[in-house]
Amino acid sequence: MRHHQPAPLSGARATSATTGLLLTGGGARAAYQVGVLEALSDIHCSLGRPAHENPFGVITGTSAGAINAAALASHADDFRGAVRRLVTVWEGFHAHQVYRADALGVVHSGARWLGLMSLGWAVARWRKLRPRSLLDNSPLAELLQQMVPLERLPGLVEGGHLRGLAVSASSYSSGQHVTFFQGAPELQPWTRSQRHGLAAPITHQHLLASSAIPFVFPAMELSTPHGPQYFGDGSMRQSAPLAPAIHLGAQRLLVVGAGRMHEPRDSQGQFTSSGYPSLAQIAGHALSNIFLDALSVDVERVQRINHTLSMIPPQARGDCPLKPIELLVIAPSSRLDEIAARHLRALPAPVLAMLGALGVSPASREVQNAALASYLLFEASYTQELMGLGYEDTWKRRDEVTGFFGWTPADAAPCETRPMEAPEGLAA
């Protein structure tokens, strides 16, 4: 089969082709990313630039970030419209759109799972009731069908609107971290220690696998060159979160985190509990390690490489295989688990009761116990506040954003943006 080769890009489209976006994991915390994207869209449009113009030729994501990334990539020919679609979904979110939150559904999955843990696996074998996960995320599969038209990707790549989309997942079968990518014909697979990139048509099954938080959501079976394997959340064993975008050709990269990159020195003991940690606190700590720590390390690694390259004389850089990567990192300015603690009562009663068995309580003053819930709080009051925070954090860095993208005012009339006097979700 012959592939149509798109015409060479120039100007703004050539720049965007080498500009990448990385959306990290974090379950319901990914609402923050949508606020960041909304602010980017408003900044872009306020300069009178074309609303459809896609600033990201390379889009990568992991876990819930993979879903946002795929939704954005599927409408790469209409950036502002794609962002508006994401905003509409996230600002009206309810848990039952992601997992079964009714009493029967929770009893069928979570309560049985917790019960069998206490009764022993021998009972599970006898009854043939081995549970697969704490929650049943079958509603998410239905939402993806409506939200993410992946069948549009080949046409968008051929039309030059998108260079590549990549989503990452972790194989329980092989122990490898795999990045599945789809895009321009010249993109090549890669292999590194314990991780590799694999060219494959991205499906909704890949998104479900990438966002399958360990223990919380079930693993997904995906096809690989070595046969079918079961995959879970792509944030697990992800030692180099920035690497997929770089492999796909990104020379500058916007990274949107789902947690604070660095805790202030004076707040390290602020939320310390003197009692023995609850299961919820331990689980939240483990998830923070999975979703947050690798990103901070990888960003620091790239920054060190950039600094080292800057000290090499320009005439000698041509022989160096490493290239500088311009980074812009936007991450929450507030603790998301602290925000989650204020919204625990928004969770459906059956889910809150199940989490209560692990130590999550709306009456508790210990923020650590809300960390687990911060990944599962797909409720509008929480997601809207995170979106508002993402919008405000990004808008405050407006000059830095425009400098990063090289955006300058255009001739068209600017569009209407969200009023910054009272960002949605952040009003007192």
Side-chain angles (χ1 to χ4, degrees):
M1 178 183 296
R2 295 182 62 186
H3 294 282
H4 170 71
Q5 295 293 334
L9 301 178
S10 60
R13 292 187 68 180
T15 301
S16 66
T18 57
T19 301
L21 171 68
L22 168 59
L23 300 177
T24 61
R29 290 169 170 244
Y32 176 85
Q33 302 168 359
V34 180
V36 172
L37 292 171
E38 185 183 11
L40 289 176
S41 176
D42 279 0
I43 293 170
H44 178 265
C45 202
S46 69
L47 295 170
R49 303 187 68 86
H52 67 275
E53 182 181 77
N54 175 30
F56 304 107
V58 174
I59 301 177
T60 65
T62 304
S63 194
I67 294 175
N68 284 339
L72 204 62
S74 297
H75 295 282
D77 55 343
D78 180 16
F79 177 67
R80 189 161 177 82
V83 172
R84 286 308 311 166
R85 291 180 182 92
L86 280 171
V87 169
T88 299
V89 171
W90 281 90
E91 71 181 359
F93 238 142
H94 293 289
H96 65 77
Q97 295 174 271
V98 178
Y99 52 83
R100 288 195 61 182
D102 58 289
L104 182 61
V106 171
V107 168
H108 184 73
S109 57
R112 186 177 70 178
W113 191 82
L114 293 173
L116 289 176
M117 282 185 65
S118 62
L119 293 174
W121 289 105
V123 176
R125 287 196 295 270
W126 176 60
R127 293 184 178 180
K128 297 182 180 180
L129 293 176
R130 297 182 187 180
R132 295 193 170 193
S133 61
L134 193 62
L135 294 169
D136 173 3
N137 65 342
S138 55
L140 178 58
E142 300 176 14
L143 178 62
L144 293 179
Q145 293 289 338
Q146 308 166 20
M147 179 181 170
V148 190
L150 292 168
E151 67 276 4
R152 300 190 74 235
L153 290 179
L156 293 169
V157 171
E158 185 174 346
H161 299 287
L162 181 71
R163 177 174 171 81
L165 166 68
V167 301
S168 298
S170 184
S171 173
Y172 291 118
S173 306
S174 69
Q176 296 285 315
H177 186 270
V178 182
T179 296
F180 299 91
F181 68 88
Q182 180 176 354
E186 65 269 19
L187 298 178
Q188 296 296 316
W190 63 89
T191 298
R192 298 293 185 270
S193 177
Q194 300 297 313
R195 57 184 173 89
H196 60 273
L198 178 63
I202 305 298
T203 68
H204 293 141
Q205 200 78 351
H206 289 89
L207 303 183
L208 289 170
S210 182
S211 59
I213 300 175
F215 300 109
V216 177
F217 296 137
M220 291 289 138
E221 187 179 36
L222 299 176
S223 297
T224 76
H226 305 290
Q229 297 181 17
Y230 280 94
F231 285 82
D233 199 292
S235 297
M236 295 186 292
R237 308 199 72 173
Q238 188 178 39
S239 57
L242 278 62
I246 297 171
H247 281 294
L248 296 187
Q251 297 175 11
R252 63 171 59 84
L253 184 58
L254 171 64
V255 179
V256 185
R260 298 180 78 174
M261 297 289 291
H262 302 284
E263 289 295 334
R265 292 179 181 272
D266 58 357
S267 69
Q268 292 177 356
Q270 185 175 355
F271 302 102
T272 301
S273 171
S274 58
Y276 191 84
S278 67
L279 287 177
Q281 185 175 339
I282 294 172
H285 186 75
L287 290 179
S288 294
N289 173 265
I290 291 172
F291 287 116
L292 306 180
D293 292 353
L295 178 63
S296 298
V297 171
D298 204 27
V299 166
E300 290 178 355
R301 181 188 298 124
V302 171
Q303 289 172 337
R304 286 197 302 270
I305 292 173
N306 286 345
H307 178 68
T308 301
L309 291 173
S310 69
M311 295 187 292
I312 299 176
Q315 62 271 22
R317 287 185 201 168
D319 299 328
C320 181
L322 298 176
K323 304 297 179 185
I325 302 296
E326 185 179 355
L327 287 181
L328 175 60
V329 181
I330 299 178
S333 58
S334 300
R335 287 180 57 118
L336 301 194
D337 46 2
E338 186 176 1
I339 296 174
R342 301 198 296 267
H343 295 277
L344 289 177
R345 295 188 188 278
L347 280 166
V351 177
L352 189 55
M354 180 189 67
L355 292 179
L358 299 175
V360 176
S361 171
S364 174
R365 294 184 179 181
E366 296 180 0
V367 173
Q368 299 97 323
N369 288 332
L372 174 61
S374 73
Y375 297 94
L376 304 178
L377 249 167
F378 292 94
E379 293 293 338
S381 64
Y382 176 63
T383 58
Q384 286 178 16
E385 183 164 356
L386 296 197
M387 290 166 64
L389 179 64
Y391 192 100
E392 183 180 53
D393 285 348
T394 306
W395 193 271
K396 285 179 177 178
R397 299 172 65 181
R398 189 176 190 273
D399 292 342
E400 193 176 350
V401 167
T402 56
F404 174 81
F405 288 101
W407 289 340
T408 55
D411 294 333
C415 59
E416 184 179 350
T417 62
R418 177 193 288 210
M420 279 308 297
E421 290 79 8
E424 184 178 355
L426 292 179

